[in-house]
């Protein structure tokens, strides 16, 4: 299955201020997430972001915030699909491939993946742009997501797959981002 930009959307899950400092390898995760966001932006792929109970977990981290000036989907369910408005918005885009970045891999990301699959989407999990507080939770969540039918990828791999060819402005941007 080829993942094409015309049929894809990026969903950023719960990368929030009060939880993010406790995520294993959070500096690398932050860098990879920004690389993913910049690459997706250069490809004109729509982006959405969810926040889990922002009153308790805070706003989206500062480096991610500028990419979502039109707002966020706030939720109290762990799965993003628990928000009827967010789910309706996803269906309304007509896009089938939902590229996922965020935290925590074993809770909100995992439950979102399971529910996206149930609702007929193809969850594409960017493994170096998701994280958990512990390595074990992260590793087990990847196994479970793959078992549930998610496509696993990396930031560099998905960006070049979406780009499809060299010589374009997006290719030049992505090439600089991944160096």
């Amino acid at each position: 299955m080829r993942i094409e930009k015309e049929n894809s959307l990026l969903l950023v899950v719960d990368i929030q201020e009060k939880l993010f400092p406790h995520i294993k390898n959070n500096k690398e995760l932050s860098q990879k997430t920004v690389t993913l966001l910049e690459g997706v932006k250069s490809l004109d792929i729509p982006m959405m972001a969810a926040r889990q109970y922002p009153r308790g977990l805070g706003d989206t981290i500062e480096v991610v915030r500028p990419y979502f000036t039109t707002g966020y989907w706030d939720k109290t369910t762990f799965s993003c699909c628990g928000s009827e408005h967010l789910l309706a918005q996803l269906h309304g885009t007509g896009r089938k491939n939902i590229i996922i970045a965020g935290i925590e891999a074993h809770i909100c990301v995992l439950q979102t993946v399971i529910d996206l699959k149930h609702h007929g989407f193809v969850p594409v999990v960017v493994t170096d742009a998701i994280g958990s507080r512990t390595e074990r939770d992260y590793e087990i969540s990847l196994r479970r997501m793959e078992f549930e039918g998610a496509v696993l990828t990396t930031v560099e791999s998905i960006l070049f797959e979406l780009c499809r060819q060299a010589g374009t402005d997006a290719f030049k941007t992505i090439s600089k981002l991944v160096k």
Side-chain angles (χ1 to χ4, degrees):
M1 177 192 99
R2 185 69 85 137
I3 301 166
E4 297 171 331
K5 71 178 189 171
E6 297 80 13
N7 200 23
S8 299
L9 175 142
L10 175 66
L11 177 60
V12 176
V13 180
D14 305 345
I15 299 182
Q16 293 168 254
E17 296 168 323
K18 291 187 181 175
L19 184 56
F20 196 74
H22 305 286
I23 300 299
K24 188 170 180 64
N25 301 320
N26 62 21
K27 286 182 180 68
E28 180 183 350
L29 177 60
S30 175
Q31 292 167 343
K32 291 288 188 176
T33 301
V34 169
T35 298
L36 179 63
L37 289 163
E38 282 292 323
V40 165
K41 180 180 169 185
S42 76
L43 292 162
D44 294 319
I45 294 171
M47 298 185 276
M48 295 173 64
R51 296 185 302 189
Q52 175 71 26
Y53 186 62
R55 199 166 78 205
L57 295 178
D59 200 356
T60 299
I61 63 171
E62 190 173 338
V63 296
V64 172
R65 236 179 275 151
Y67 297 92
F68 299 99
T69 56
T70 59
Y72 303 91
W73 296 96
D74 291 341
K75 62 189 183 65
T76 55
T77 59
F78 296 124
S79 171
C80 290
C81 296
S83 164
E84 292 298 323
H85 296 312
L86 189 145
L87 188 57
Q89 183 72 25
L90 288 173
H91 280 296
T93 68
R95 294 177 183 245
K96 197 82 164 161
N97 303 320
I98 309 301
I99 301 164
I100 302 168
I103 61 174
E104 279 194 76
H106 65 292
I107 303 171
C108 295
V109 173
L110 173 62
Q111 291 182 39
T112 297
V113 164
I114 292 168
D115 290 345
L116 284 170
K117 187 73 177 167
H118 173 77
H119 287 283
F121 296 100
V122 176
V124 180
V125 179
V126 187
T127 60
D128 51 350
I130 66 168
S132 291
R133 285 167 286 142
T134 71
E135 187 68 27
R136 180 152 179 80
D137 283 334
Y138 171 81
E139 292 297 331
I140 294 296
S141 73
L142 290 181
R143 289 173 47 195
R144 174 78 187 276
M145 285 185 255
E146 191 169 36
F147 176 80
E148 297 292 344
V151 175
L152 303 184
T153 190
T154 63
V155 169
E156 186 169 344
S157 180
I158 192 64
L159 289 177
F160 281 111
E161 183 172 356
L162 293 164
C163 186
R164 293 191 62 103
Q165 67 182 36
T168 65
D169 289 340
F171 169 77
K172 291 173 189 168
T173 298
I174 291 166
S175 293
K176 288 177 188 171
L177 289 168
V178 298
K179 287 186 179 184

